[in-house]
Amino acid sequence: MDAAAKCPRGGEDTQAREWTLRRGYDLLRDPRLNKGLAFTLEERQQLNIHGLLPPCFISQDVQVLRILRNFERHENNLDRYVLLMGLQDQNEKLFYKVLTSDIERFMPIVYTPTVGLACQQYGLTFRRPRGLFITPHDQGHVATLLRSWPASVVKAIVVTDGERILGLGDLGCNGMGIPVGKLTLYTACGGMKPQECLPVMLDVGTDNEVLLNDPLYIGLKHKRIRGQAYDNLLDEFMQAVTNRYGRNCLIQFEDFANTNAFRLLRKYRDQYCTFNDDIQGTASVAVAGLLAALCITGNKLSDQTILFQGAGEAALGIAGLAVMAMEKEGTPKTEAIKKIWMVDSKGLIVKGRASLTSEKQQFAHQHEEMKNLEEIVRKLKPTVLIGVAAIGGAFTNKILKDMASFNKRPIIFALSNPTEKAECSAEDCYKLTEGRAIFASGSPFQPVTLPDGRTFFPGQGNNVYVFPGVALGVVSCGIRHISDEIFLTTAEVIAQQVSKQNLEEGRLYPPLSTIHDVSLKIAVKIAEEAYRNNTATFYPEPEDKEAFIRSQVYSTDYENFLTDSYSWPINASKIQSAIR
């Protein structure tokens, strides 16, 4: 039977079907539509792909098993990362089905710590471009570049300029692995639809001489552009995004250097729907860990003395949100600030010290100048020690023993990524504090068993507990400006999901296997508060917000192109639109 006979309406319907038949081969190469050997015989015939696949029919579950067996064959995590990214380029639904089948197993591969190595080796492992690459040479034409992206609806963007990738420094265009990885987790952990997410690299050059001399480097080979030219490109990008995708499009800033991160957040936060994950996301997950730890110590956050090793984006973000949390407990802001101390590369931040930024200045207290961290710990006797300076081993054996000597239950967070940048290992922390430390890390650590038989499962303070749920909540109700209150709310929701058993096992965060439910709870709470505070813009207000948000969540199950809802000509037009 020919196309005209199958499309009784003829005309445009026939044309749409003929177009689809001609593009059947391309359908198999579109990861959004490809089902591989899971296409049924009727689908293969109708979509003109019969004969382009082996004469075998395999369910999605069996496809997952095949991927798992290939995954296990690889001996190192970088090869596993390449395998999974290749799958993402071939079959999107299968990729996310694999990830969500065991998120605890796969998240360290598609994100920290493996993504750091992948970024370092990006030129070597580069296969297929994902997202948009925008350079200063495109200035004046950024809107044109956005129009070249095939999706007309984009609800979330993660953008980086690659200057401060994790704790690895300036990786330039190789940093594109971070936006790609973040948005992967938007979907796997939060249920955001991948076709509505866009990773963006603002390649303004790099100051990394190794990359500039590397023939495999994929970015611009010149020093970073700074100053007004840099700002002009950012301004044009932000405006072009809202012109193309609307003022409700969420723009997440990721891995910008300290010099730009804070000022760009201040500049854009009241103009656009935007947040900085390194500042606000890290703050939220760290405060969530602190709130959970208080369930063990039995006191308040304002009862703590908090010392930060590091005074950059992460430290200042955590400190600011911790002050908000103390204020919510009833502590005046001026008193809350006094509970927080910081150490940067020049030593303890104190009043009168030269060259302090305005952000650091607010946490500068009257005290003698000190430079040695061990001496600072002995002098201040903090109850909470947080490492966010990416200095591996900064929490020495002496520091860990001292923390245990003047605290019954010392709270020690080694949050720097990747693993080799962690301030201490989970094993050292638990053993040197005789199992009394309340520990969390930025990268995953294996369970630790002490000589007395107790086993602890280190909590991973991963931002993945925060940004997928925040994004889902913000996008679902149309919040246009993301306040710090949203991140405090998120921290509270996360802490509430930590059970008594989790705490007894040493976990300060809910198991990653529950991350999808955690993200949903965060999104629902954000939506409830947004409608209550009149910051939501999508109306009418849904009566059942959880059901409303669930209805928007991405499904990893294959669709049947030949069901009634996809019958001709709807099926043809849908496929045509998706491929375009």
Side-chain angles (χ1 to χ4, degrees):
M1 184 180 294
D2 62 18
K6 279 188 173 278
C7 293
R9 296 185 184 181
E12 184 178 341
D13 294 348
T14 302
Q15 184 179 12
R17 177 159 173 76
E18 288 177 347
W19 186 94
T20 304
L21 291 173
R22 290 197 304 270
R23 297 299 293 262
Y25 185 80
D26 292 338
L27 183 146
L28 292 176
R29 278 146 184 80
D30 190 311
R32 296 160 295 181
L33 302 173
N34 184 29
K35 301 197 296 186
L37 295 178
F39 280 112
T40 66
L41 176 60
E42 188 177 5
E43 283 177 325
R44 298 181 192 197
Q45 292 172 336
Q46 295 276 6
L47 300 174
N48 200 35
I49 57 175
H50 185 56
L52 301 181
L53 292 167
C56 177
F57 305 95
I58 294 178
S59 69
Q60 191 179 31
D61 289 339
V62 175
Q63 288 178 318
V64 169
L65 178 61
R66 171 180 286 167
I67 297 300
L68 294 179
R69 289 190 176 177
N70 276 288
F71 183 87
E72 292 164 356
R73 290 174 55 205
H74 292 289
E75 297 182 356
N76 66 76
N77 285 341
L78 183 59
D79 287 343
R80 291 168 179 152
Y81 173 89
V82 172
L83 170 70
L84 291 177
M85 291 303 101
L87 176 62
Q88 187 178 21
D89 288 336
Q90 297 165 11
N91 186 329
E92 199 165 68
K93 282 188 176 287
L94 181 57
F95 169 74
Y96 286 111
K97 177 68 80 171
V98 169
L99 260 57
T100 54
S101 70
D102 191 346
I103 194 67
E104 289 187 88
R105 181 182 189 185
F106 294 111
M107 195 170 71
I109 306 299
V110 298
Y111 204 62
T112 56
T114 307
V115 73
L117 178 59
C119 286
Q120 290 175 303
Q121 303 290 330
Y122 209 70
L124 184 63
T125 61
F126 184 78
R127 297 291 187 275
R128 172 178 173 177
R130 301 189 67 85
L132 282 181
F133 296 81
I134 299 173
T135 76
H137 304 302
D138 302 313
Q139 195 160 343
H141 306 284
V142 174
T144 302
L145 265 65
L146 286 174
R147 284 195 296 271
S148 70
W149 186 250
S152 59
V153 176
V154 169
K155 295 183 179 180
I157 289 174
V158 176
V159 59
T160 188
D161 70 354
E163 189 169 6
R164 194 202 61 79
I165 298 298
L166 302 176
L168 302 170
D170 186 351
L171 295 185
C173 198
N174 286 0
M176 185 54 148
I178 297 298
V180 170
K182 284 280 185 183
L183 289 172
T184 293
L185 299 182
Y186 266 48
T187 300
C189 302
M192 292 282 289
K193 296 175 182 176
Q195 67 269 24
E196 296 177 351
C197 297
L198 172 60
V200 175
M201 163 57 64
L202 297 176
D203 184 2
V204 295
T206 178
D207 293 334
N208 187 325
E209 292 291 342
V210 174
L211 294 179
L212 291 174
N213 294 314
D214 184 356
L216 298 181
Y217 178 57
I218 64 173
L220 294 178
K221 293 195 174 182
H222 60 61
K223 294 287 187 178
R224 283 187 171 272
I225 291 174
R226 303 187 183 276
Q228 194 60 50
Y230 177 89
D231 286 0
N232 289 343
L233 182 65
L234 265 292
D235 287 343
E236 183 181 349
F237 166 72
M238 297 297 284
Q239 188 60 56
V241 167
T242 54
N243 288 345
R244 169 71 167 153
Y245 301 119
R247 303 202 70 83
N248 292 112
C249 182
L250 186 155
I251 306 171
Q252 175 184 324
F253 279 68
E254 188 70 31
D255 286 353
F256 283 72
N258 290 350
T259 53
N260 289 319
F262 284 103
R263 71 181 188 88
L264 293 176
L265 179 60
R266 287 194 300 268
K267 180 177 182 179
Y268 294 132
R269 67 184 305 168
D270 294 328
Q271 300 179 48
Y272 300 94
C273 179
T274 186
F275 73 96
N276 184 300
D277 188 55
D278 302 299
I279 299 172
Q280 296 161 292
T282 301
S284 187
V285 76
V287 169
L290 291 175
L291 295 177
L294 297 179
C295 296
I296 299 174
T297 61
N299 53 11
K300 300 189 299 183
L301 190 58
S302 52
D303 294 328
Q304 312 303 318
T305 298
I306 305 174
L307 176 64
F308 286 90
Q309 162 63 11
E313 298 167 52
L316 292 165
I318 297 168
L321 201 64
V323 168
M324 284 184 61
M326 291 183 206
E327 287 184 275
K328 196 168 182 178
E329 290 179 342
T331 302
K333 183 175 182 179
T334 53
E335 293 301 310
I337 289 174
K338 292 178 183 178
K339 304 287 185 179
I340 295 172
W341 296 78
M342 292 191 177
V343 177
D344 64 9
S345 60
K346 297 178 182 178
L348 187 65
I349 293 176
V350 297
K351 287 188 180 296
R353 212 189 80 180
S355 303
L356 288 178
T357 64
S358 59
E359 290 84 10
K360 292 181 181 181
Q361 187 68 51
Q362 65 175 319
F363 296 105
H365 308 305
Q366 201 67 47
H367 197 279
E368 64 179 309
E369 292 193 27
M370 302 180 70
K371 292 188 176 181
N372 184 274
L373 184 60
E374 290 184 350
E375 295 177 1
I376 293 170
V377 169
R378 284 199 299 272
K379 183 72 174 180
L380 297 181
K381 293 182 171 54
T383 59
V384 179
L385 182 61
I386 300 177
V388 282
I391 301 175
F395 296 169
T396 63
N397 291 359
K398 173 66 175 170
I399 288 174
L400 296 174
K401 289 179 179 179
D402 283 345
M403 285 291 292
S405 71
F406 43 71
N407 289 297
K408 182 179 180 181
R409 299 301 304 268
I411 301 173
I412 300 172
F413 288 2
L415 298 181
S416 293
N417 284 311
T419 308
E420 62 267 20
K421 299 289 184 178
E423 287 74 16
C424 67
S425 68
E427 183 176 11
D428 286 345
C429 187
Y430 287 123
K431 288 186 176 179
L432 293 171
T433 63
E434 300 173 333
R436 290 187 285 116
I438 303 172
F439 177 81
S441 59
S443 289
F445 281 100
Q446 293 298 314
V448 176
T449 300
L450 299 182
D452 61 11
R454 288 179 296 164
T455 298
F456 296 96
F457 298 81
Q460 186 188 359
N462 195 316
N463 289 21
V464 74
Y465 285 107
V466 175
F467 60 82
V470 168
L472 185 62
V474 167
V475 167
S476 68
C477 60
I479 294 175
R480 289 188 174 173
H481 304 295
I482 305 175
S483 66
D484 286 332
E485 284 76 12
I486 285 177
F487 291 98
L488 183 54
T489 295
T490 298
E492 292 169 347
V493 173
I494 295 169
Q496 290 164 3
Q497 306 311 307
V498 183
S499 67
K500 182 178 179 180
Q501 181 180 347
N502 294 154
L503 294 173
E504 291 173 351
E505 293 173 342
R507 303 179 193 267
L508 294 181
Y509 299 94
L512 278 175
S513 58
T514 67
I515 186 63
H516 206 278
D517 289 336
V518 173
S519 296
L520 181 64
K521 286 183 170 63
I522 291 170
V524 171
K525 186 68 173 178
I526 288 173
E528 289 173 348
E529 294 192 356
Y531 282 106
R532 186 165 54 248
N533 299 332
N534 294 319
T535 55
T537 63
F538 293 165
Y539 286 92
E541 177 182 349
E543 291 185 11
D544 188 337
K545 295 176 181 59
E546 180 175 340
F548 173 71
I549 293 174
R550 281 186 183 276
S551 70
Q552 302 179 57
V553 169
Y554 177 72
S555 172
T556 61
D557 295 331
Y558 288 142
E559 296 174 277
N560 185 341
F561 291 111
L562 302 182
T563 60
D564 290 339
S565 60
Y566 290 99
S567 59
W568 300 105
I570 298 173
N571 185 31
S573 61
K574 179 178 176 67
I575 294 175
Q576 180 179 1
S577 173
I579 292 178
R580 283 179 174 174

